[in-house]
């Protein structure tokens, strides 16, 4: 299954990605967790875009996302297309940005809504690094 | 209440695990029966709207064109529509708008979901076949995490719902129990045996906190509906059912919104408010509704977002018997997505056909006495978009 999801991910990023997604995944490979922020209205968004989704300005800059956030919700998939069991999935609330889906590197039973989590970089292959979160 | 368009003919397949015949066989069967139900001939139809043959499956490239050619059906309007779980009602809306514009008088809507890749004996094969579709569905930023189905999103929504409102697992498990009481009266429902709360909570944990018996069952099916101009609807069928109001709203989000809530759905709130205002009624004026609750907790949150009860009070409303026969509004007399079954690409038309049968007074053992006004709710994503229809029958 890993080869298939890697191939599907490559195809998807090539066909449905854009300059912002290519930059985002390049930055993850380099151990940087960033998204775009509007230079005109100041909105910090996720996912990154080549324009501001609020005021539609094209003047955006890359800025570090908070490296810590709060666990907003979490669950576990029985049959992941990517990760071996246990595949814990969570929504992390990053202050000033919003809710971000990620892989959570901790057993489900150990987690609680509201706990602090910190970003980690998960090398999947030579071409793909994903962000993940683990309890602080 | 002014009629936008009227439903004069309906037909559906049973809820299948998979199609017993080819897509074309099944399509021709429901089209033929919908025309017969309307008492119309094929060439009385002047426009055609169809869905893809399945959601997220093999291409349905030019399916409306090849189908019309096969039927030898000339039309003034023809198209294929896709909008996730809302596909069937968006297709229907295309028919309604065509009739409202005056260009067409009798439109045929065909929606289906053949789920050919869904073999319950071969889950690995299914996942292999759908990996690219699923990855693309969740997009560039969430697809790479390997979601095999949308259930993790709904699980986190249910977890937050329990956390924010103090709703218990037992409260949520009451939903499939009620749905099985309803589906027991529907001969075509996928699951009809009675259930207890303990049985629901004892079923396999899928994505915590969602148990197997709180999930809608993937299924296959097809439906066809004939929509006619209100001026001539009653000459086609005396008991034509009118679509009197329509509300629709799409939040600019796909599954989880960046900001906002996942325990209340703005699309359902806005679509219901728009439709009820257009009809000039409140939610309690309705007699019956079919809503698109694909998991038990989602069903409760939908009751709240659609305006039937206050936020966090869905379980209380249900437990007090207000969502069933003898209560305020009968929700999902078919048994809903959880018990009746959920062929997503055609589910909204299955809902609409049930409301049509209720308003015609032909719903047999599950008939809501005196049903005159009904609601159909459909959605896509995780309630990111919703459409609400209000329908009126002769008993209103």
């Amino acid at each position: 299954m890993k080869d298939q999801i890697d191939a599907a991910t490559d195809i998807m990023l090539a066909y449905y990605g854009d300059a912002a997604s290519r930059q985002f995944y390049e930055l993850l490979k380099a151990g940087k967790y960033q998204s775009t922020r509007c230079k005109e209205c100041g909105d910090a968004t996720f996912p990154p875009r080549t324009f501001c989704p609020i005021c539609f300005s094209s003047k955006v800059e890359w800025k570090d996302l908070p490296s810590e956030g709060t666990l907003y919700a979490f669950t576990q998939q029985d049959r992941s297309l990517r990760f071996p069991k246990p595949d814990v999935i969570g929504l992390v609330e990053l202050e000033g940005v919003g809710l971000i889906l990620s892989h959570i590197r901790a057993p489900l039973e150990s987690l609680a809504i509201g706990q602090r989590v910190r970003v980690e970089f998960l090398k999947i292959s030579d071409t793909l690094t994903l962000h993940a979160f683990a309890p602080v | 209440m002014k009629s936008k368009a009227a439903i004069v003919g309906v037909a559906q397949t049973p809820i299948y695990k998979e199609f017993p015949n080819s897509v074309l066989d099944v399509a021709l069967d429901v089209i033929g029966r919908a025309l017969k139900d309307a008492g119309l001939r094929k060439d009385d139809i002047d426009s055609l709207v169809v869905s893809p043959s399945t959601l997220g499956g093999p291409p349905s490239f030019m399916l409306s064109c090849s189908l019309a050619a096969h039927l030898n059906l000339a039309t003034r309007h023809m198209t294929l529509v896709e909008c996730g779980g809302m596909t069937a009602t968006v297709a229907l809306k295309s028919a309604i708008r065509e009739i409202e514009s005056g260009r067409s008088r009798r439109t045929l809507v065909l929606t289906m979901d053949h789920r050919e890749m869904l073999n319950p004996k071969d889950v690995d094969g299914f996942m292999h076949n759908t990996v690219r579709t699923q990855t693309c569905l969740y997009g560039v930023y969430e697809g790479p995490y390997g979601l095999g189905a949308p259930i993790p999103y709904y699980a986190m929504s249910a977890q937050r719902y329990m956390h924010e409102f103090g709703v218990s697992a037992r409260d949520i498990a009451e939903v499939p129990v009620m749905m099985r009481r309803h589906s027991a009266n529907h001969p075509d429902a996928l699951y009809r045996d009675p259930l207890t709360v303990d049985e629901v909570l004892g079923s396999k944990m899928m994505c915590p906190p969602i148990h197997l018996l709180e999930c809608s069952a993937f299924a296959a099916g097809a439906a066809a509906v004939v929509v006619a101009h209100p001026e001539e609807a009653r000459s086609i069928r005396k008991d034509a059912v009118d679509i009197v109001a329509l509300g629709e709203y799409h939040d600019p989000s796909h599954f989880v919104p960046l900001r906002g809530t996942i325990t209340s759905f703005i699309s359902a709130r806005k679509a219901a408010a728009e439709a009820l205002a257009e009809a000039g009624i409140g939610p309690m004026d309705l007699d019956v509704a079919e809503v698109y609750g694909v998991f038990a907790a989602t069903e409760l949150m939908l009751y709240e977002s659609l305006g039937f009860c206050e936020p966090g009070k869905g379980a209380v409303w249900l437990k007090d018997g207000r969502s069933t026969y003898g209560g305020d509004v009968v929700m999902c007399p078919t048994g809903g997505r959880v018990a009746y079954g959920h062929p997503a690409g055609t589910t909204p038309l299955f809902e609409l056909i049930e409301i049509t049968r209720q308003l015609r007074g032909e719903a047999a053992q599950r008939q809501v006495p005196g049903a005159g006004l009904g609601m159909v709710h459909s959605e896509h994503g995780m309630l990111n978009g919703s459409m609400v229809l209000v329908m009126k029958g002769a008993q209103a």
Side-chain angles (χ1 to χ4, degrees), chain B residues 10-12 223-225 348-358:
Chain B
V10 298
Q12 69 196 105
V225 166
L349 276 202
F350 275 58
E351 296 179 39
L352 176 127
I353 289 173
E354 173 64 9
I355 298 301
T356 300
R357 296 199 190 288
Q358 291 283 346

Side-chain angles (χ1 to χ4, degrees), chain A residues 86-103:
Chain A
D87 176 29
V88 179
I89 295 169
L91 290 173
V92 176
E93 187 165 28
L94 294 184
E95 196 182 341
V97 184
L99 299 176
I100 292 170
L101 183 116
S102 194
H103 181 65

Side-chain angles (χ1 to χ4, degrees), chain A:
Chain A
M1 192 57 74
K2 185 180 181 308
D3 290 349
Q4 290 157 33
I5 178 88
D6 282 348
T9 299
D10 285 348
I11 291 166
M12 176 179 60
L13 293 178
Y15 279 82
Y16 301 108
D18 64 357
S21 66
R22 288 188 286 275
Q23 174 80 356
F24 178 75
Y25 282 105
E26 281 303 313
L27 287 165
L28 282 183
K29 271 196 275 184
K32 290 184 179 151
Y33 190 46
Q34 294 192 349
S35 187
T36 51
R37 186 163 68 185
C38 180
K39 284 163 119 174
E40 304 225 349
C41 77
D43 184 70
T45 197
F46 188 90
R49 291 176 178 84
T50 55
F51 58 91
C52 171
I54 304 297
C55 74
F56 218 56
S57 165
S58 56
K59 290 179 181 146
V60 297
E61 58 188 337
W62 287 85
K63 287 279 184 186
D64 284 341
L65 287 162
S67 59
E68 281 189 21
T70 305
L71 193 59
Y72 185 83
F74 54 92
T75 187
Q76 180 170 301
Q77 259 200 141
D78 202 34
R79 299 183 78 99
S80 173
L81 300 179
R82 153 102 42 221
F83 294 105
K85 282 188 183 181
D87 176 29
V88 179
I89 295 169
L91 290 173
V92 176
E93 187 165 28
L94 294 184
E95 196 182 341
V97 184
L99 299 176
I100 292 170
L101 183 116
S102 194
H103 181 65
I104 307 295
R105 303 186 74 189
L108 186 88
E109 311 76 53
S110 72
L111 296 171
I113 287 176
Q115 82 178 81
R116 296 292 287 173
V117 288
R118 186 196 299 271
V119 73
E120 293 184 355
F121 299 90
L122 210 56
K123 186 176 174 183
I124 302 293
S125 68
D126 287 343
T127 55
L128 183 68
T129 295
L130 295 176
H131 57 88
F133 282 81
V136 171

Side-chain angles (χ1 to χ4, degrees), chain B residues 264-281:
Chain B
S264 158
F265 304 110
I266 190 172
S267 72
R269 288 205 305 275
K270 283 188 177 262
E274 182 190 355
L276 292 171
E278 185 182 17
I281 59 171

Side-chain angles (χ1 to χ4, degrees), chain B residues 225-273:
Chain B
V225 166
V226 182
V227 190
H229 197 284
E231 282 171 4
E232 63 178 67
R234 263 137 214 101
S235 66
I236 298 171
R237 256 197 93 117
K238 280 201 190 93
D239 58 359
V241 170
D242 291 299
I243 294 164
V244 294
L246 184 154
E248 181 179 3
Y249 186 78
H250 304 268
D251 185 57
S253 58
H254 187 51
F255 295 103
V256 174
L258 181 65
R259 292 157 198 165
T261 172
I262 52 173
T263 60
S264 158
F265 304 110
I266 190 172
S267 72
R269 288 205 305 275
K270 283 188 177 262

